[in-house]
Amino acid sequence: MVFDVNVALTWILFLALFPIAFFWFRRAWRIVVRRDFSEVALKRGESPPHPEKFAPYVMVINLLAGVVLAVVIFGIVLGRLDYDTWTAIAGSTLWCKFFLDFAISRQAHGRFGPKAQGGAGK
């Protein structure tokens, strides 16, 4: 095996799966066990008015994404997944989780944010 840019990027992606899965499991743990909703549906660093309403959805997304990445990690270590398969699964999981988190945060805060009180539109 020749060490080149592709090998380096492959190792970086593989090693990055560990902390990503850990943080997603930790977020799910905080929501389920500790009832900590401080990281639920954040928009510009602010929680929505009722984060507990969206906590189950965020918990399921984090738990499911963490499990998928853990399965990918074990599949790589055991030699069950080839390069194209595990990179496709890991990449799709990352993007889907980011898009779902974005959608939930926008839903939790309302489409255009809080309604303005008064103003020229009245």
Side-chain angles (χ1 to χ4, degrees), residues 3-120:
F3 187 76
D4 60 355
V5 174
N6 291 332
V7 174
L9 289 176
T10 300
W11 273 100
I12 290 170
L13 177 59
F14 173 66
L15 294 175
L17 294 178
F18 289 91
I20 293 170
F22 170 77
F23 283 112
W24 290 347
F25 279 131
R26 187 179 71 169
R27 277 181 94 184
W29 174 265
R30 285 181 176 177
I31 292 169
V32 171
V33 176
R34 293 189 179 172
R35 309 292 296 164
D36 178 10
F37 306 129
S38 62
E39 296 180 1
V40 171
L42 297 178
K43 182 177 178 183
R44 295 185 182 140
E46 293 183 21
S47 292
H50 302 287
E52 64 277 355
K53 179 179 176 184
F54 298 94
Y57 304 109
V58 174
M59 184 274 305
V60 167
I61 291 170
N62 281 292
L63 187 61
L64 186 62
V67 167
V68 169
L69 288 188
V71 168
V72 167
I73 290 169
F74 286 118
I76 294 168
V77 170
L78 297 175
R80 302 283 184 187
L81 295 174
D82 62 343
Y83 176 78
D84 290 336
T85 304
W86 76 262
T87 55
I89 294 171
S92 298
T93 302
L94 285 167
W95 281 108
C96 287
K97 193 220 180 271
F98 291 146
F99 287 139
L100 290 172
D101 275 347
F102 179 81
I104 288 176
S105 70
R106 294 315 178 255
Q107 180 68 29
H109 287 274
R111 185 169 180 186
F112 298 107
K115 298 197 186 257
Q117 300 294 325

